[in-house]
């Protein structure tokens, strides 16, 4: 692997740092009651979104998952509008209709994050098919977790993408747990074996190092863009926090502290920080703190939606269905 | 005037839309041989980029269509068997139908789910004989079930042009129905607008799908004793409540005949809404399937569980006992 240019190294560090601090500030807002839904934090997994999205062009498209804030930020969504969405404010990327769980942001090429685990794989294939037929050269990335690899719908998506040689990159963020279920008790065979079964070039890489992820993603993106069909990348990673912020209260015992500590030894932010000079780091860190102060202020100060608008956007045609009571 | 069959109307509507709009394409199983005849001749006319034969992978290709629709296409998925719509209920009701909402209006998902042979067919078994339209209407998915060839043409055209997902049920029992049509007058029919096939003043019969034809036959049969208005909603969601209210304003009596299960079926919803909001001078009645399944393996047992003309006659006679002068 050739070393990336220093500007790219700095940029990768900046993205990881932004995601890390964004998630930490978000957890503060969950605790403060500003994000009523809670969130699925991606702290510990930042190198995956960072490395993959660094391999993409602005016009490329990603499909996210329930643990999607990192994908949005790495793909270029406005952090203030992302946080406002999570906080249920009308200034959010989806006008408070998607929330933390189901974000779309077409301005950044984030098409959606379906809540039905693994089902983005075939949606991605459909977008990729339309792109390929239009000849627009776009590459579609579908992010999912290790839990998704036991879903039949994911494998149906693999089959269609491989059968029709579509420009898709499947990225499995294997963080070791499907909510509380350890991957080794859930997945027979291997994750890459699922791709190989369909003739999809499949690699398992260190998901803690953004430069390793970037190199694997660049190879897969180049294959997709040149008409070579789909790829699968398993990124071995870890989340330091619970599956969801409900674990701040639930204290579920499905993994021990030594395991978490061992993964923290290979922290993606530390790994990339070591490749950036101290002065640059300090400047980036300071810029991010300043940015996030503005982001939090923007989100919290933004208006909440009006209840009379609850049926807006239910239908693309603007159809309004009748009310839930007869004489409303 | 030339005769048009229901099946040919589907073929014609889909072909016309594919001619008119290059973003329209059709996908499904056994498409290359046009097994259901809906797409007869399409592979030659439109080529394999717009007539896509899929593997037996309903969840996968239904999500695939969602993605293609998000990217600007107008997919039409043809399903051969009604229960396949239950297999992909999640993909339609919980995904395709919610992306406009969840994206705050950024996405439209204009997919048409075409089920050209819904309902019971002799000997095809308990798993091939359902009419699951009520559950799509229940979940707020736009759902149409035209009864006549011209309506099939008009509503399939509208479904394809609509920016939201639309499920199209073509009842198997209607596929052979033929009517005289002026081809130049075939036109889109708006969603949510019902049709009075036969005017009457004593009782409104709401009939859904192929049962429209049974209702018209019963109305003719009873013409000497009672004036029956036959109201065909054509669209099940959004429902033409205004049209139904106008009919009941005249008749004040309501019978629904609905080839769906009784509990939580559309017939129950029509009765409830009429009772809450519309003019009724007699307790309304409905004729439905019982809860549970059609047997599907023996015509005698199968037919015993389906709504019949005799049941409709009895229901009409019962509602006529109320309200004084009409009976």
């Amino acid at each position: 692997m050739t070393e990336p240019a220093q500007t790219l190294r700095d940029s990768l560090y900046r993205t990881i740092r932004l995601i890390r601090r964004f998630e930490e500030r978000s957890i503060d807002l969950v605790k403060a009651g500003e994000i009523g839904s809670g969130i699925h934090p991606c702290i510990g997994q930042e190198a995956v979104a960072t490395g993959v999205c660094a391999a993409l062009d602005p016009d490329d498209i990603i499909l996210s998952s329930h643990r999607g804030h990192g994908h949005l930020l790495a793909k270029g969504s406005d952090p203030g509008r992302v946080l406002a969405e999570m906080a249920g404010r009308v200034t959010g990327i989806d006008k408070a209709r998607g929330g933390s769980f189901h974000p779309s942001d077409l301005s950044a090429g984030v098409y959606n994050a379906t809540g039905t685990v693994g089902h983005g794989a075939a949606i991605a294939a459909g977008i990729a098919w339309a792109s390929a037929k239009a000849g627009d050269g776009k590459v579609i990335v579908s992010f999912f977790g290790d839990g998704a690899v036991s879903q039949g719908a994911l494998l149906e998506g693999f089959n269609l993408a491989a059968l029709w040689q579509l420009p898709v990159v499947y990225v499995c963020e294997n963080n070791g747990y499907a909510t509380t279920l350890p991957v080794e008790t859930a997945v027979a065979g291997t994750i890459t074996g699922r791709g190989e079964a369909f003739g999809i070039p499949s690699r398992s890489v260190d998901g803690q190092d953004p430069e390793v992820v970037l190199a694997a993603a660049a190879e897969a993106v180049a294959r997709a863009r040149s008409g070579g069909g789909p790829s699968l990348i398993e990124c071995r990673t870890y989340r330091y926090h619970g599956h969801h912020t409900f674990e701040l209260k639930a204290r579920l015992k499905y993994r021990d502290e030594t395991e978490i500590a061992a993964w923290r030894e290979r922290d993606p932010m530390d790994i990339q920080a070591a490749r950036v000079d101290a002065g640059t780091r300090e400047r980036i860190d300071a810029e991010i703190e300043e940015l996030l102060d503005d982001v939090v202020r923007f989100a919290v100060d933004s208006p909440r939606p009006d209840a009379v608008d609850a049926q807006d956007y239910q239908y693309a045609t603007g159809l309004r269905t009748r009310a839930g009571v007869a004489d409303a | 005037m030339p005769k048009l069959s229901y099946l040919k109307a589907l073929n014609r509507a889909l072909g016309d839309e594919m001619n008119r709009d290059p973003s329209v394409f059709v996908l499904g199983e056994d498409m290359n041989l046009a097994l259901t005849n809906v797409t007869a001749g399409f592979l030659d006319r439109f080529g394999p980029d717009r007539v896509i034969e899929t593997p037996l992978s309903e969840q996968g290709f239904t999500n695939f269509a969602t993605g293609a629709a998000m990217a600007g296409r107008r997919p039409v998925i043809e399903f051969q068997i009604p229960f396949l719509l239950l297999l992909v209920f999640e993909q339609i009701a919980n995904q395709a139908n919610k992306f406009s909402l969840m994206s705050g209006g950024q996405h439209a998902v204009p997919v048409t789910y075409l089920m050209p042979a819904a309902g019971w067919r002799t000997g095809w078994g308990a798993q091939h004989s359902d009419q699951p339209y009520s559950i799509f209407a229940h979940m707020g998915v736009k759902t149409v079930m035209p009864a006549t060839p011209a309506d099939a043409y008009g509503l399939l055209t509208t479904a394809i042009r609509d920016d939201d997902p639309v499920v199209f049920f073509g009842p198997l029992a209607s596929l052979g129905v033929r009517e005289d049509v002026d081809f130049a007058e075939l036109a889109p029919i708006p969603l949510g607008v019902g049709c009075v096939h036969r005017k009457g003043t004593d009782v409104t019969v709401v009939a859904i799908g192929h049962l429209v034809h049974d209702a018209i036959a019963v109305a003719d049969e009873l013409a000497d004793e009672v004036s029956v208005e036959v109201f065909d909603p054509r669209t099940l969601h959004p429902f033409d409540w205004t049209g139904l209210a106008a009919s009941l304003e005249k008749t004040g009596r309501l019978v629904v005949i609905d080839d769906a299960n009784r509990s939580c079926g559309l017939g129950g919803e029509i009765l409830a809404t009429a009772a809450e909001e519309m003019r009724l001078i007699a307790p309304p009645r409905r004729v439905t399937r019982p809860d549970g399944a059609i047997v599907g393996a023996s015509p005698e047992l199968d037919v015993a569980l389906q709504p019949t003309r005799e049941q409709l006659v009895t229901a009409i006679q019962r509602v006529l006992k109320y309200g004084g002068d009409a009976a």
Side-chain angles (χ1 to χ4, degrees):
Chain A
M1 194 169 86
T2 51
E3 277 190 7
Q6 191 57 46
T7 50
L8 175 57
R9 296 194 134 174
D10 296 351
S11 163
L12 292 171
Y13 172 75
R14 187 184 189 286
T15 304
I16 290 182
R17 177 85 189 181
L18 172 65
I19 298 170
R20 172 71 52 93
R21 291 292 298 133
F22 180 94
E23 291 288 67
E24 288 171 347
R25 297 291 293 265
S26 299
I27 292 170
D28 291 343
L29 293 177
V30 170
K31 290 175 178 167
E34 290 287 348
I35 301 177
S37 63
I39 61 169
H40 300 85
C42 68
I43 293 173
Q45 301 183 204
E46 299 92 338
V48 179
T50 300
V52 170
C53 291
L56 298 176
D57 290 345
D59 284 348
D60 290 332
I61 291 165
I62 68 168
L63 283 80
S64 182
S65 67
H66 53 279
R67 201 176 308 286
H69 312 150
H71 307 145
L72 287 154
L73 298 180
K75 191 63 173 61
S77 285
D78 176 342
R81 295 191 61 217
V82 174
L83 191 64
E85 184 62 37
M86 294 157 60
R89 304 307 211 270
V90 292
T91 53
I93 48 175
D94 305 304
K95 306 185 179 72
R97 271 76 176 181
S100 166
F101 296 172
H102 308 301
S104 299
D105 182 3
L106 268 55
S107 71
V110 183
Y111 263 42
N112 63 68
T114 186
T116 315
V117 166
H119 283 237
I123 298 176
I127 299 168
W129 176 85
S131 284
K133 293 297 174 194
D136 61 21
K138 289 179 188 172
V139 171
I140 321 301
V141 173
S142 171
F143 287 100
F144 51 88
D146 49 282
V149 307
S150 301
Q151 286 278 3
L154 179 105
L155 304 178
E156 291 190 24
F158 282 9
N159 188 49
L160 296 177
L163 198 61
W164 296 332
Q165 288 293 287
L166 301 173
V168 188
V169 179
Y170 290 114
V171 178
C172 178
E173 299 187 67
N174 177 4
N175 66 15
Y177 294 88
T179 308
T180 63
L181 184 70
V183 65
E184 58 274 14
T185 65
V187 176
T190 63
I191 291 173
T192 51
R194 282 155 169 71
E196 287 157 1
F198 298 97
I200 297 175
S202 304
R203 290 182 58 187
S204 178
V205 303
D206 175 11
Q208 299 306 92
D209 186 333
E211 296 187 1
V212 170
V213 174
L214 170 57
E219 179 189 302
V221 167
R223 181 181 297 120
R225 219 183 293 285
S226 64
S231 307
L232 168 64
I233 306 168
E234 175 196 9
C235 298
R236 300 185 306 275
T237 184
Y238 199 77
R239 58 171 159 79
Y240 303 159
H241 287 248
H243 166 69
H244 182 271
T245 46
F246 71 69
E247 284 190 44
L248 293 169
K249 289 177 181 164
R251 303 285 174 200
L252 303 171
K253 296 266 184 265
Y254 57 92
R255 53 186 190 170
D256 58 46
E257 293 300 323
T258 56
E259 180 182 288
I260 299 172
W263 276 92
R264 281 183 184 274
E265 292 293 309
R266 299 206 63 255
D267 181 70
M269 194 165 70
D270 292 347
I271 288 173
Q272 199 58 20
R275 296 166 178 153
V276 176
D277 76 62
T280 306
R281 242 177 22 234
E282 276 174 33
R283 179 178 55 76
I284 291 172
D285 293 357
E287 282 170 5
I288 286 174
E289 292 313 304
E290 198 176 330
L291 170 70
L292 289 177
D293 285 344
D294 290 344
V295 161
V296 170
R297 198 174 306 117
F298 172 77
V300 171
D301 290 349
S302 285
R304 294 174 187 275
D306 190 325
V308 301
D309 299 329
Q311 286 194 300
D312 287 0
Y313 312 114
Q314 296 261 356
Y315 296 91
T317 53
L319 171 69
R320 286 278 182 144
T321 57
R322 57 190 179 145
V325 288
D327 45 4
Chain B
M1 274 196 289
K3 292 265 188 198
L4 179 67
S5 77
Y6 194 111
L7 186 62
K8 187 65 187 170
L10 297 179
N11 173 272
R12 194 178 181 94
L14 182 52
D16 285 355
E17 282 310 287
M18 289 177 72
N19 263 335
R20 195 187 64 81
D21 180 352
S23 73
V24 179
F25 70 101
V26 60
L27 66 161
E29 291 155 0
D30 302 303
M31 196 57 59
N32 288 348
L33 286 175
L35 192 66
T36 65
N37 280 317
V38 169
T39 55
F42 280 21
L43 192 58
D44 289 340
R45 278 172 74 189
F46 300 109
D49 280 356
R50 296 182 67 199
V51 180
I52 298 177
E53 170 130 349
T54 62
L56 273 63
S57 188
E58 291 83 14
Q59 298 191 33
F61 66 65
T62 303
N63 277 331
F64 175 92
T66 298
M70 285 177 168
R73 297 300 195 106
R74 290 188 179 271
V76 177
I77 311 179
E78 189 202 68
F79 294 92
Q80 292 179 8
I81 311 289
F83 75 79
L84 295 175
L85 288 172
L86 301 180
L87 185 60
V88 299
F89 187 61
E90 145 68 28
Q91 287 77 8
I92 298 172
N94 194 41
Q95 298 193 60
N97 204 46
K98 290 184 180 171
F99 281 123
S100 170
L101 170 67
M102 295 192 295
S103 66
Q106 294 174 83
H107 279 302
V109 185
V111 183
T112 303
Y113 310 93
L114 175 60
M115 178 62 247
W120 174 74
R121 53 183 91 192
T122 317
W124 275 54
Q127 292 185 320
H128 288 66
S129 301
D130 289 321
Q131 297 262 51
Y133 47 80
S134 291
I135 61 171
F136 287 98
H138 175 73
M139 287 298 288
V141 180
K142 293 177 177 177
T143 305
V144 300
M145 191 161 179
T148 68
D151 284 356
Y153 181 94
L155 281 164
L156 181 55
T157 304
T158 299
I160 294 169
R161 293 183 189 178
D162 197 272
D163 281 341
D164 289 308
V166 180
V167 185
F168 183 113
F169 284 89
L172 180 71
S174 284
L175 290 192
V177 170
R178 291 154 65 87
E179 68 180 329
D180 292 325
V181 296
D182 178 350
F183 286 134
E185 288 188 1
L186 289 172
I189 291 169
L191 299 184
V193 178
C195 168
V196 174
H197 287 285
R198 192 183 187 288
K199 285 190 182 300
T201 53
D202 295 333
V203 54
T204 300
V205 171
V206 176
I208 296 167
H210 62 284
L211 294 173
V212 167
H213 305 289
D214 295 284
I216 292 170
V218 165
D220 288 344
E221 179 190 316
L222 298 180
D224 290 343
E225 45 188 298
V226 54
S227 169
V228 176
E229 176 142 310
V230 177
F231 180 81
D232 170 7
R234 303 193 289 193
T235 304
L236 308 180
H237 178 81
F239 196 93
D240 184 1
W241 299 115
T242 309
L244 178 62
S247 180
L248 290 176
E249 203 55 46
K250 278 194 302 182
T251 64
R253 296 187 188 83
L254 173 63
V255 175
V256 179
I257 183 162
D258 174 22
D259 188 27
N261 287 10
R262 200 162 180 82
S263 294
C264 308
L266 201 71
E269 179 54 40
I270 295 168
L271 259 60
T273 301
E276 262 191 305
E277 302 174 34
M278 298 174 192
R279 175 176 175 264
L280 285 179
I281 58 174
R285 303 194 76 88
R286 66 199 146 128
V287 179
T288 67
R289 293 184 180 192
D291 294 332
I294 295 290
V295 181
S298 150
E300 295 77 10
L301 301 176
D302 304 351
V303 172
L305 300 180
Q306 294 178 49
T308 64
R309 291 183 185 186
E310 293 70 30
Q311 290 169 330
L312 179 58
V313 169
T314 304
I316 290 170
Q317 288 166 343
R318 293 237 172 114
V319 298
L320 284 169
K321 287 181 182 165
Y322 298 84
D325 55 321

